[in-house]
Amino acid sequence: MSTNENNSIDTLGLSLSMLLLRLWLAARAIQTGIEKFAGTSSESKIVEIDGAANPYGLTEVTVTKAYALSNYHGVPESLYKPFASEPFIPVWGLNLYDKILGPALLILGITLLLGIATRYTLFAMGLLYTSLTYGLILINQSSGVAWLGIHIIMVVLALALAKYNKFTILKKW
Amino acid sequence: MNIDLTQLTRREFLTKSSLGAGLVLGAPSILKAKAPDAAADDIRVGFIGCGKQHEVLWNAMVNIPGIRYVAACDIMEKDRLSATYNRVGRAFGNKIAKYTDAEEMLTKEAKNLDAVFVATPDFWHAPHTVMALEAGCHVYCEKMMSETIEGARSMVDAMDRTGKLCQIGHQRRSNPRYQFALNELINKEHICGQIINMNGQWNRALSSSQDIVYGKPANLPDAETLRKYGFNAGANGQLSEQELQHRFLNWRFYTSLSGGPISDLGAHQIDIFNWFMGTQPKSVMASGGRSYFKDREHFDNVMCIFEYDTPFGNARAFYQVLTTTSAGGGYYETFMGTDGTIEISEREAYTNIYKESGADGAKWDNLVRRGLLKKEAVGQAAGGSDAIASYASAPPDKYALPGGLNKPPHQPHIENFFAAIRGEAELTCDARHALESEAPIYWVNPAANSHEIINFTEEHLHA
């Protein structure tokens, strides 16, 4: 085996690694952004007793998941209140964050998927996950912090592999 | 009706209110509102108290049509009052009037209000309700009616005196699941047979029972405001701002501000015992202690037994409220009879019905066929080498209610209140019937303190 062969870099493998990271991070961001518009739609059926509608209003409910613009909630309700009571998070800032989080995830996910300014997109995504991490640190959600830490590692890995980024629309930046 | 409320204090309201006489518990309310000026008129609503329970009420009423929100009041201007103002604006696009003083709100806004929702700490329920009724408004007031039975009686008196409606927030009384269980399963089909025992609990884990701490103390009312509104009641000496703010956030721990866990949590379920039995208990024995939260004024754990005389024989109810464990699975009321047991809760997940092995199977099968019950499972004998077959009862079959409630638990009760204002319904829990049901609860803490059985007389229980 020659020395050249030992030192050669498997560029195909690295390009495919980068592609996989892009796909994973894009899917994660896009679907999370879409889920911000998720809600439920329920169908109630009145319970029949002796063949007639019961007079009490007892119902059987079937709940299905549905998406709509009106369902939008950037910061989940379960987290909004703990964040709002944190002195380091001003309510106006939280409300602004609540508005932009979903669209930001969608835009960053799509640009990453399409390969538009991949490095800046990854950097922005890293900043977004860092901001989420900061909030979770404040409310002592250690498992969430660890989970986002894994995201950051993947973003950093993708940035490190950016040289091998293929299948892009805008390679610059 | 316009009166000068600005000179009246909470204590004066209580002392000036006369006491009313009781009615038979369980009888339907005879109170009905006057017909509105026009059928299509919105009901104009104001809020007194914009804290956590107000949010629960808001979430239950925001989808009810025909309401116009007019004004709100809370002594915590930042975060609470402003949140309600924003909430109404976001939902309906209108601006409501904001007040930090309830008397001022009623003086200025009573002419613009049909109904007022009172969701303040217990020790303000009676003064706020009496003020609002006397200002000419119908009132929906959260339970427990008051921290004292005298306060609760003043509310009944004000309701009678003014002719206005006063609904108390025992929301299970309007819950179709509870109404169905009582009217159809217990009273009509007698699936329990003779109900001899009742059991209820509200058990909370330590993690849910800790002191409430507010992340932005600068937004809390200051010491002067809290003193003005009585949060120093019953205190020895001058309290610091921090101590007053602790009382503001944790008023449930203080004997001068609330009835403690037995009234805060127990009121809902002991009300169900009395409602379902159709009578008041004849005695109470109780035990309680500051077993874990040793610095709190109220008992952190209370157990009590009520004894009843019913048309079918004597019965007893055991109730426990524990703030140091979630053991036993949350909160429910159980009615145990000779033929079956109904274990019911506001949470559908905690609701179960059981048929005794000796009960008439054909009758229960017929109830399933007709749609009154759903059969969930056949009782399975546990078996095992530790079972002593000759001593163990055969396991009961498990059933469920045929349906549930497709809206927030408080919504039917608020809908009932609005329907009564429009003259379309009778209140399911007006102040008089609420007090007849709540009255025994006021004697649990005294029974636990004295370690003596309290045999109820008219003096104890009258409304």
Side-chain angles (χ1 to χ4, degrees):
Chain A
M1 194 179 286
S2 71
T3 308
N4 275 350
E5 277 175 338
N6 278 337
N7 293 337
S8 68
I9 296 169
D10 178 7
T11 54
L12 176 62
L14 293 174
S15 292
L16 291 175
S17 299
M18 176 62 187
L19 187 62
L20 278 175
L21 279 171
R22 264 175 58 196
L23 287 173
W24 196 99
L25 288 167
R28 169 69 175 145
I30 292 169
Q31 198 55 46
T32 305
I34 291 172
E35 291 305 307
K36 303 288 181 195
F37 297 89
T40 54
S41 104
S42 57
E43 194 181 333
S44 290
K45 198 178 107 187
I46 194 86
V47 169
E48 289 195 352
I49 295 172
D50 292 329
N54 79 87
Y56 297 91
L58 290 176
T59 54
E60 280 186 298
V61 180
T62 314
V63 178
T64 51
K65 193 174 179 182
Y67 295 91
L69 287 175
S70 58
N71 289 337
Y72 179 73
H73 51 278
V75 178
E77 259 185 51
S78 57
L79 294 177
Y80 186 94
K81 275 195 174 175
F83 285 154
S85 63
E86 282 297 328
F88 282 119
I89 301 180
V91 173
W92 64 265
L94 180 61
N95 289 337
L96 181 65
Y97 196 81
D98 181 65
K99 283 192 170 59
I100 65 171
L101 181 59
L105 283 164
L106 284 170
I107 291 166
L108 291 172
I110 291 167
T111 52
L112 187 62
L113 184 67
L114 298 177
I116 300 170
T118 304
R119 281 173 292 186
Y120 280 114
T121 297
L122 284 166
F123 182 65
M125 190 176 276
L127 289 179
L128 189 65
Y129 289 144
T130 303
S131 67
L132 289 167
T133 306
Y134 177 74
L136 294 184
I137 291 170
L138 284 178
I139 61 171
N140 199 23
Q141 294 256 342
S142 303
S143 57
V145 172
W147 175 235
L148 284 167
I150 294 169
H151 286 59
I152 290 290
I153 290 169
M154 295 179 78
V155 169
V156 169
L157 193 57
L159 276 168
L161 293 172
K163 184 179 168 186
Y164 303 100
N165 194 18
K166 307 284 184 194
F167 312 112
T168 60
I169 289 177
L170 179 61
K171 187 149 185 147
K172 196 178 175 186
W173 304 311
Chain B
M1 181 180 182
N2 291 320
I3 59 169
D4 183 9
L5 294 163
T6 54
Q7 301 304 311
L8 290 177
T9 65
R10 174 182 168 275
R11 201 166 294 280
E12 284 168 338
F13 261 106
L14 293 180
T15 52
K16 286 179 181 175
S17 299
S18 58
L19 306 180
L23 284 179
V24 178
L25 182 134
S29 168
I30 56 169
L31 288 171
K32 272 195 172 183
K34 291 173 186 172
D37 294 341
D41 273 0
D42 285 349
I43 292 175
R44 301 164 302 169
V45 164
F47 296 112
I48 300 178
C50 299
K52 196 171 178 181
Q53 189 57 27
H54 158 78
E55 285 182 45
V56 172
L57 296 175
W58 167 263
N59 290 330
M61 65 200 296
V62 68
N63 293 321
I64 301 175
I67 308 173
R68 181 145 48 92
Y69 299 96
V70 173
C73 168
D74 198 289
I75 63 170
M76 186 168 163
E77 196 166 6
K78 290 178 182 171
D79 295 353
R80 281 194 188 173
L81 186 56
S82 59
T84 297
Y85 178 85
N86 293 333
R87 206 175 278 137
V88 174
R90 275 200 303 273
F92 298 100
N94 65 303
K95 293 180 178 177
I96 58 171
K98 292 188 286 185
Y99 295 88
T100 54
D101 185 274
E103 294 176 9
E104 184 189 357
M105 180 181 107
L106 290 169
T107 302
K108 292 183 178 171
E109 300 287 346
K111 60 184 180 298
N112 302 319
L113 291 169
D114 298 308
V116 167
F117 282 72
V118 176
T120 46
D122 286 1
F123 74 108
W124 270 108
H125 283 176
H128 285 151
T129 296
V130 174
M131 281 180 209
L133 288 168
E134 298 206 330
C137 300
H138 304 295
V139 173
Y140 181 111
C141 179
E142 267 304 320
K143 66 84 211 159
M144 183 84 170
M145 291 175 74
S146 171
E147 87 285 14
T148 65
I149 197 165
E150 292 78 16
R153 284 169 177 155
S154 75
M155 296 162 75
V156 177
D157 181 60
M159 179 183 75
D160 290 346
R161 198 170 58 247
T162 60
K164 292 292 172 183
L165 296 170
C166 182
Q167 175 96 308
I168 303 301
H170 290 289
Q171 72 276 0
R172 288 165 176 77
R173 293 245 183 174
S174 299
N175 187 317
R177 295 169 58 252
Y178 278 83
Q179 292 176 338
F180 176 81
L182 175 62
N183 296 339
E184 300 295 328
L185 299 180
I186 293 179
N187 288 343
K188 196 169 168 190
E189 302 296 341
H190 305 289
I191 68 162
C192 295
Q194 182 185 344
I195 295 173
I196 295 172
N197 297 292
M198 290 162 278
N199 179 36
Q201 70 167 47
W202 196 314
N203 291 355
R204 270 185 177 167
L206 266 184
S207 57
S208 303
S209 308
Q210 299 298 318
D211 289 23
I212 297 169
V213 179
Y214 199 68
K216 296 177 180 174
N219 290 357
L220 292 169
D222 60 22
E224 188 185 346
T225 304
L226 292 169
R227 282 193 198 100
K228 178 182 174 187
Y229 290 101
F231 283 88
N232 56 348
N236 293 321
Q238 184 89 334
L239 298 176
S240 67
E241 183 164 276
Q242 199 176 3
E243 288 170 323
L244 284 161
Q245 289 176 339
H246 183 271
R247 283 172 157 247
F248 173 70
L249 294 170
N250 298 282
W251 50 267
R252 289 175 170 85
F253 303 163
Y254 295 92
T255 52
S256 297
L257 311 182
S258 84
I262 192 67
S263 86
D264 187 39
L265 299 173
H268 279 306
Q269 297 164 308
I270 296 167
D271 171 55
I272 302 304
F273 292 157
N274 299 335
W275 177 34
F276 275 32
M277 286 295 98
T279 187
Q280 293 171 301
K282 63 176 186 176
S283 69
V284 64
M285 61 184 87
S287 174
R290 295 166 199 87
S291 307
Y292 183 87
F293 297 105
K294 298 185 190 305
D295 295 335
R296 290 185 184 172
E297 292 183 1
H298 277 299
F299 298 135
D300 52 22
N301 288 270
V302 183
M303 296 176 170
C304 60
I305 296 174
F306 294 100
E307 292 181 316
Y308 292 81
D309 273 337
T310 78
F312 309 103
N314 64 64
R316 61 212 59 81
F318 170 75
Y319 181 77
Q320 65 178 17
V321 55
L322 311 180
T323 60
T324 52
T325 177
S326 63
Y331 48 97
Y332 54 77
E333 306 90 48
T334 306
F335 296 85
M336 295 173 271
T338 50
D339 289 344
T341 290
I342 296 177
E343 184 178 61
I344 191 164
S345 170
E346 204 166 44
R347 291 281 310 277
E348 287 186 38
Y350 300 155
T351 301
N352 297 294
I353 299 171
Y354 299 97
K355 177 180 82 66
E356 290 290 313
S357 59
D360 181 355
K363 173 184 169 182
W364 284 65
D365 289 344
N366 189 42
L367 294 175
V368 173
R369 270 195 299 277
R370 290 172 56 202
L372 286 146
L373 286 174
K374 282 198 290 195
K375 189 162 186 175
E376 300 265 289
V378 176
Q380 297 286 338
S385 58
D386 58 342
I388 303 171
S390 57
Y391 295 161
S393 300
D397 294 346
K398 190 176 173 187
Y399 294 77
L401 292 173
L405 176 65
N406 62 350
K407 50 183 82 166
H410 292 71
Q411 188 170 330
H413 207 45
I414 298 170
E415 287 172 340
N416 170 256
F417 177 54
F418 289 138
I421 290 174
R422 292 192 170 97
E424 298 164 353
E426 294 172 348
L427 290 179
T428 53
C429 192
D430 67 64
R432 178 173 295 281
H433 291 90
L435 178 52
E436 285 166 0
S437 192
E438 282 188 7
I441 302 167
Y442 287 102
W443 301 103
V444 174
N445 283 331
N449 275 318
S450 67
H451 297 285
E452 289 181 0
I453 296 173
I454 295 178
N455 292 300
F456 294 134
T457 64
E458 173 68 12
E459 187 62 29
H460 290 105
L461 301 182
H462 78 81

